[in-house]
């Protein structure tokens, strides 16, 4: 399977990593929408939230703990930030490997 983020996990495509452990990698988005824009992904290939299985429950917890770590490491923990995961066509998902955008470093707004 040719998946961009699986290739980033394997190191075949370079990324600017913020955090990594056994289960999760976090790296700066190539096209940031805010001063802090980091993608947190599981090393395991899961296409989207809709493909999470029962056995992935601990992994989803790992992702949330990694989000906390990324927020601290990038300095957005105190002022707050946003976590977004896009799903499918209407969600405008473009990379079909589960990822959580951690966005912050400026005042965000909410309008669609
Ligand atoms: P999506 O649109 O699927 O929610 O998010 C995909 C994100 O991946 C986009 O924000 C896009 O800028 C980012 N992205 C796409 N290709 C690369 C890449 O090669 N490296 C990095 N670091 N980010 C990428
Ligand atoms: Zn993948």
């Amino acid at each position: 399977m040719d998946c961009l983020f699986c290739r980033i996990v394997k190191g075949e495509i370079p990324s600017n990593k913020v955090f990594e452990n056994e289960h999760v990698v976090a790296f700066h988005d190539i096209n940031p929408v805010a001063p802090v824009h980091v993608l947190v992904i599981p090393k395991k290939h899961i296409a989207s939230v809709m493909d999470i299985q029962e056995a992935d429950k601990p992994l989803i917890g790992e992702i949330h703990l990694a989000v906390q770590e990324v927020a601290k490491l990038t300095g957005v923990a105190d002022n707050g930030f946003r976590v977004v995961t896009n799903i499918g066509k209407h969600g405008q998902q473009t990379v079909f490997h589960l990822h959580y955008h951690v966005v912050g470093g400026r005042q965000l707004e909410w309008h669609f």
Side-chain angles (χ1 to χ4, degrees):
M1 181 204 352
D2 195 28
C3 168
L4 177 66
F5 286 176
C6 281
R7 295 189 70 191
I8 284 180
V9 169
K10 289 185 211 152
E12 292 172 6
I13 293 174
S15 66
N16 190 356
K17 279 184 198 156
V18 177
F19 175 80
E20 179 171 13
N21 68 19
E22 190 188 341
H23 305 287
V24 175
V25 187
F27 51 93
H28 291 283
D29 195 292
I30 206 167
N31 186 21
V33 299
V36 172
H37 187 170
V38 173
L39 301 174
V40 180
I41 74 171
K43 289 188 172 176
K44 177 185 175 185
H45 180 85
I46 298 171
S48 84
V49 164
M50 295 310 291
D51 297 279
I52 294 167
Q53 310 285 313
E54 192 73 19
D56 298 320
K57 277 174 161 180
L59 180 57
I60 301 310
E62 290 285 344
I63 291 170
H64 277 250
L65 291 173
V67 165
Q68 282 185 2
E69 212 49 55
V70 166
K72 290 175 194 163
L73 290 167
T74 58
V76 299
D78 288 347
N79 283 332
F81 58 96
R82 189 165 292 156
V83 180
V84 174
T85 186
N86 295 323
I87 300 152
K89 179 174 179 283
H90 281 189
Q92 293 198 308
Q93 184 179 6
T94 60
V95 177
F96 291 85
H97 180 127
L98 182 64
H99 54 281
Y100 294 78
H101 299 255
V102 175
V103 179
R106 66 169 168 82
Q107 181 58 57
L108 302 174
E109 292 170 358
W110 186 261
H111 44 71
F112 292 99

